[in-house]
Amino acid sequence: MSMLVSRRTLLAGSAAALAASALPGRVWAADPLKVGFIYIGPVGDYGWTHGHDVARREVEAKFGDKVKTTFVENVPEGPDAERVLRQLAQAGNELIFTTSFGYMNATIRAAKALPKVKFEHATGYQTAPNVSIYNARFYEGRAICGTIAGHLTKTGNLGYIGSFPIPEVVMGINAVALSARRIRPDAKVKVVWANSWYDPGKESDAAKALIDGGVDVLSQHTDSPAPLQVAESRNVYAFGQASDMRSFAPKMHLTAIVDAWGEYYIRRVQAVIDGSWKTSSVWEGLKEGMVGMAPYNEAIPADVVAAAEKVRQGIIDGTGHPFVGPIKNQKGELVVKEGETLSDEQLLKMDWYVEGVEA
């Protein structure tokens, strides 16, 4: 059972619900566990928010009447987020997933005020006794995309539509550049910032600007299918974001990173139900199944598919890593020696670009 609640109509819960949130454990085990979600975009974005909502529905399918989910879409990363979190808690939600990096401070503040409510924050780095964090190694999928792009580009000019210059996005840009340049050393990744996670108009304009600037393979770190639709109309190859977007560009969609949150969400809901939930920090990827790849376009030559699969399998079995040296920065300075690999801590703080990135 699920419920869509707008920010205007989400009502405060009863005093009983508030009292329940202040008591240890589940008060009424016979009642369904209420699970809340807040989303940065609309569930119909076919990208990031869509992926989280698919996972929410997987939770419902798994647990049936044992759970009741509620989601609030289009919640800005600011004061609104904390208000929505408090309202979800007051409505009796015992577990709340906050699904955007910019919800971090709001999540921590709400968690401090509501210590018996359990929070799960996506892509952040702050935890608390009742706040867990979870993230996916999206850069692993970007490395596969970069490998394909390096083989298919004719000009060596690759495009990347960025949302915001946070470490996750910088990692993605760098992973594409490094992987492409291992195939074509002169490849460049030109970045245009949309300054939004979801804005079809800005995303479309960014795609047009990049293509007009000579880009012949396009990546995006934004959530609408608009860039793919532009790519399809201009006969330029492109990669989707967060889900299989080939229906929007049947000819030019090469593949896409697929965000697969469902198994994690089911795992964490089960932990609340059986009383084993504890704060944790999770960063999973291709090996664990939190990151997947959409089907490859049949137009990709067999040897290129083989090269992409070699990268994917190497990441899974540990014989390869997208950020193994030698790596140079934008200035051409060696920052990672040959054979060395950037640590998770270094990746999560990444605020610099590799050689070949124009941003």
Side-chain angles (χ1 to χ4, degrees):
M1 181 184 298
S2 66
M3 182 184 303
L4 165 61
V5 184
S6 72
R7 279 170 285 155
R8 291 186 176 183
T9 61
L10 184 64
L11 302 177
S14 65
L18 282 169
S21 70
L23 295 174
R26 297 210 60 223
V27 178
W28 298 300
D31 292 341
L33 172 69
K34 291 185 177 181
V35 184
F37 297 77
I38 67 168
Y39 298 148
I40 188 66
V43 293
D45 68 358
Y46 294 100
W48 176 263
T49 294
H50 168 78
H52 287 283
D53 201 59
V54 167
R56 179 190 64 79
R57 285 181 269 130
E58 290 177 11
V59 168
E60 291 186 331
K62 172 69 175 179
F63 294 102
D65 292 339
K66 293 181 181 179
V67 303
K68 179 180 180 181
T69 70
T70 299
F71 67 88
V72 189
E73 58 187 345
N74 295 313
V75 180
E77 296 172 323
D80 259 10
E82 187 174 352
R83 285 195 290 271
V84 171
L85 290 177
R86 288 175 178 270
Q87 290 170 337
L88 284 169
Q90 290 167 354
N93 289 283
E94 299 175 52
L95 175 64
I96 300 175
F97 290 90
T98 65
T99 62
S100 187
F101 177 84
Y103 293 151
M104 182 167 59
N105 292 335
T107 300
I108 294 297
R109 286 193 296 266
K112 185 175 182 180
L114 300 156
K116 298 305 177 182
V117 177
K118 298 170 178 63
F119 294 86
E120 296 271 349
H121 178 229
T123 74
Y125 55 82
Q126 293 190 53
T127 61
N130 59 329
V131 178
S132 285
I133 54 175
Y134 61 101
N135 198 356
R137 296 180 183 270
F138 308 110
Y139 69 86
E140 294 179 345
R142 305 284 180 192
I144 296 170
C145 294
T147 300
I148 296 171
H151 280 283
L152 296 186
T153 181
K154 295 179 180 178
T155 66
N157 294 320
L158 313 178
Y160 202 108
I161 302 171
S163 48
F164 299 99
I166 62 175
E168 173 198 321
V169 181
V170 175
M171 265 186 276
I173 294 168
N174 286 343
V176 167
L178 287 171
S179 298
R181 287 170 68 87
R182 289 188 180 112
I183 309 302
R184 179 162 176 162
D186 67 339
K188 294 181 174 60
V189 176
K190 300 181 179 182
V191 181
V192 170
W193 296 101
N195 295 310
S196 173
W197 290 111
Y198 178 80
D199 189 322
K202 288 183 178 179
E203 294 173 63
S204 177
D205 289 344
K208 292 173 183 176
L210 285 166
I211 294 170
D212 288 344
V215 161
D216 63 357
V217 183
L218 185 65
S219 297
Q220 65 180 90
H221 216 121
T222 53
D223 297 332
S224 87
L228 276 164
Q229 293 170 316
V230 171
E232 182 82 354
S233 69
R234 302 282 291 272
N235 290 315
V236 169
Y237 283 129
F239 298 100
Q241 156 77 354
S243 69
D244 184 353
M245 292 183 168
R246 58 184 155 168
S247 63
F248 296 96
K251 293 186 299 181
M252 308 313 293
H253 181 271
L254 292 169
T255 183
I257 296 170
V258 176
D259 301 345
W261 306 108
E263 191 279 331
Y264 179 77
Y265 284 6
I266 289 170
R267 190 196 322 166
R268 301 304 280 168
V269 169
Q270 183 63 57
V272 175
I273 290 174
D274 63 27
S276 64
W277 190 97
K278 294 180 181 179
T279 186
S280 64
S281 176
V282 168
W283 198 17
E284 298 179 351
L286 289 167
K287 180 179 179 179
E288 299 83 4
M290 192 174 276
V291 175
M293 301 301 296
Y296 297 122
N297 190 320
E298 293 181 357
I300 302 176
D303 63 327
V304 178
V305 171
E309 282 297 287
K310 183 178 180 180
V311 171
R312 186 181 71 85
Q313 191 57 47
I315 292 170
I316 291 172
D317 63 27
T319 60
H321 194 288
F323 288 97
V324 64
I327 299 175
K328 294 181 180 180
N329 63 18
Q330 272 183 318
K331 297 178 181 179
E333 301 165 336
L334 184 67
V335 292
V336 183
K337 296 178 181 178
E338 185 170 0
E340 294 184 355
T341 302
L342 288 176
S343 67
D344 284 355
E345 183 180 7
Q346 290 171 310
L347 290 171
L348 289 167
K349 295 179 180 179
M350 183 167 276
D351 60 357
W352 54 275
Y353 298 110
V354 301
E355 189 175 41
V357 174
E358 297 182 359

